[in-house]
Amino acid sequence: MTAVMLAKALKTLLDEKLAAYTYTDSSGKTRSITTYTYYLDDKQPGSEEVAPYIVVRPISGEDGVEDSTVKCVIVACVRDEAVEAGYLGAVNLIERIRQILLTTGTVGKKDLLKKPLKWSIDNEPNRPYYSGYIEVDYYVGHLDNFQQMPFLYE
């Protein structure tokens, strides 16, 4: 359940911080960014009306002796017919997300960012779609502390 709560908190954070962010492609068409959790909303990946988008997906977790973590992958994609513009658009969007995550630190008032944050840009894009991703880990509630976390049971 904590992985789901983290993904929703990351989506909320990105929605708030990127509310005014738009992507203008090389043809002059401007689109706002849509953020999804887990998968794209019932549309097929690559359909023109979906990009630009961000997908937040928890992919794994680890429970240690002292703490527990959840790893999320954040995928960002833009659409552009111009190769350089598309690549730069993906890089810029990943950079904006990276800055938001690093400057916020704690998500949902309880999950603390665990560094390092890793990111990458797709070197072989599926033209005209250009994407990148960020792998990020957050410290989440440790099993020993669950009795002290009433929000898990709300």
Side-chain angles (χ1 to χ4, degrees):
M1 187 61 160
T2 53
V4 171
M5 293 166 64
L6 174 61
K8 289 179 180 180
L10 283 168
K11 179 190 182 310
T12 299
L13 172 69
L14 294 174
D15 283 343
E16 289 171 5
K17 299 288 186 175
L18 295 171
Y21 188 88
T22 58
Y23 179 72
T24 302
D25 65 20
S26 58
S27 69
K29 191 171 187 178
T30 300
R31 297 182 186 106
S32 56
I33 306 288
T34 304
T35 307
Y36 302 95
T37 46
Y38 322 120
Y39 297 94
L40 293 178
D41 200 14
D42 73 350
K43 297 179 181 100
Q44 294 298 314
S47 59
E48 187 175 340
E49 66 276 1
V50 176
Y53 63 81
I54 297 168
V55 177
V56 178
R57 184 180 304 145
I59 60 166
S60 66
E62 185 174 345
D63 294 306
V65 175
E66 305 264 333
D67 53 37
S68 297
T69 59
V70 170
K71 179 185 294 291
C72 286
V73 170
I74 301 171
V75 177
C77 179
V78 300
R79 182 185 193 284
D80 207 307
E81 296 296 331
V83 174
E84 186 174 343
Y87 177 81
L88 291 174
V91 170
N92 287 333
L93 183 52
I94 288 292
E95 179 62 20
R96 285 292 286 270
I97 297 167
R98 188 182 78 80
Q99 290 175 9
I100 290 166
L101 297 176
L102 290 172
T103 57
T104 302
T106 300
V107 175
K109 299 181 182 177
K110 62 188 174 305
D111 299 324
L112 179 66
L113 174 68
K114 177 184 176 188
K115 293 182 181 176
L117 179 148
K118 298 176 185 176
W119 63 272
S120 181
I121 302 296
D122 186 2
N123 287 325
E124 295 184 25
N126 183 18
R127 292 183 188 143
Y129 300 95
Y130 299 85
S131 61
Y133 69 91
I134 296 175
E135 282 186 10
V136 61
D137 293 285
Y138 280 88
Y139 292 105
V140 295
H142 192 263
L143 187 59
D144 294 341
N145 299 327
F146 278 171
Q147 289 78 18
Q148 299 168 8
M149 298 181 191
F151 59 85
L152 289 174
Y153 305 102
E154 294 176 353

